[in-house]
Amino acid sequence: QVQLVESGGGLVQLGGSLRLSCAASTSIFSINVMGWYRQAPGKQRELVAASPRFGSRNYADSVKGRFTISRDTAKNAVYLQMNSLKQEDTAVYYCNAQQVLGTTAYDYWGQGTQVTVSS
């Protein structure tokens, strides 16, 4: 069982920056994928950025060049640096961990943190 706790959300002006943090209750060294998702009102939850244990990070087209995901195994944390924020980035952001142990896949979610971009 992996518990995830997000922090760092808030109100930010258009064009500003925020850094989201996600603290895991256990080591993330063996977590296959750590990622950030978001859900805006009336919309489906969507992938924002993912950091696989092996391989390249990937980003939603809408955030490429503006957002950066990073993974710190020493601190059991994953971060999302968000720059040049737009109003359409307003959403609840969720941390996600996907772990495969043997033949079983586990999917863990944080409680979410609100990001609001104001004009």
Side-chain angles (χ1 to χ4, degrees):
Q1 185 82 4
V2 179
Q3 294 180 334
L4 304 170
V5 179
E6 301 99 334
S7 60
L11 179 65
V12 63
Q13 286 193 330
L14 195 64
S17 297
L18 274 178
R19 186 189 191 216
L20 304 184
S21 299
C22 172
S25 59
T26 62
S27 171
I28 64 170
F29 180 79
S30 63
I31 299 292
N32 297 79
V33 183
M34 295 293 302
W36 287 95
Y37 287 72
R38 67 185 180 188
Q39 187 167 19
K43 295 189 177 181
Q44 289 188 328
R45 191 173 295 190
E46 62 174 357
L47 174 68
V48 176
S51 173
R53 185 180 175 193
F54 303 109
S56 302
R57 303 165 192 170
N58 56 86
Y59 298 90
D61 287 343
S62 59
V63 308
K64 281 181 183 175
R66 301 188 298 122
F67 289 13
T68 303
I69 187 171
S70 59
R71 182 171 172 158
D72 188 336
T73 54
K75 295 183 178 180
N76 296 327
V78 64
Y79 307 98
L80 185 68
Q81 178 66 44
M82 305 187 294
N83 299 327
S84 303
L85 282 161
K86 305 176 180 181
Q87 282 192 299
E88 51 263 42
D89 295 319
T90 295
V92 178
Y93 284 71
Y94 297 90
C95 182
N96 171 259
Q98 298 173 20
Q99 186 178 40
V100 177
L101 298 174
T103 58
T104 305
Y106 299 89
D107 204 17
Y108 302 102
W109 294 92
Q111 82 287 351
T113 186
Q114 177 71 47
V115 171
T116 303
V117 183
S118 69
S119 57

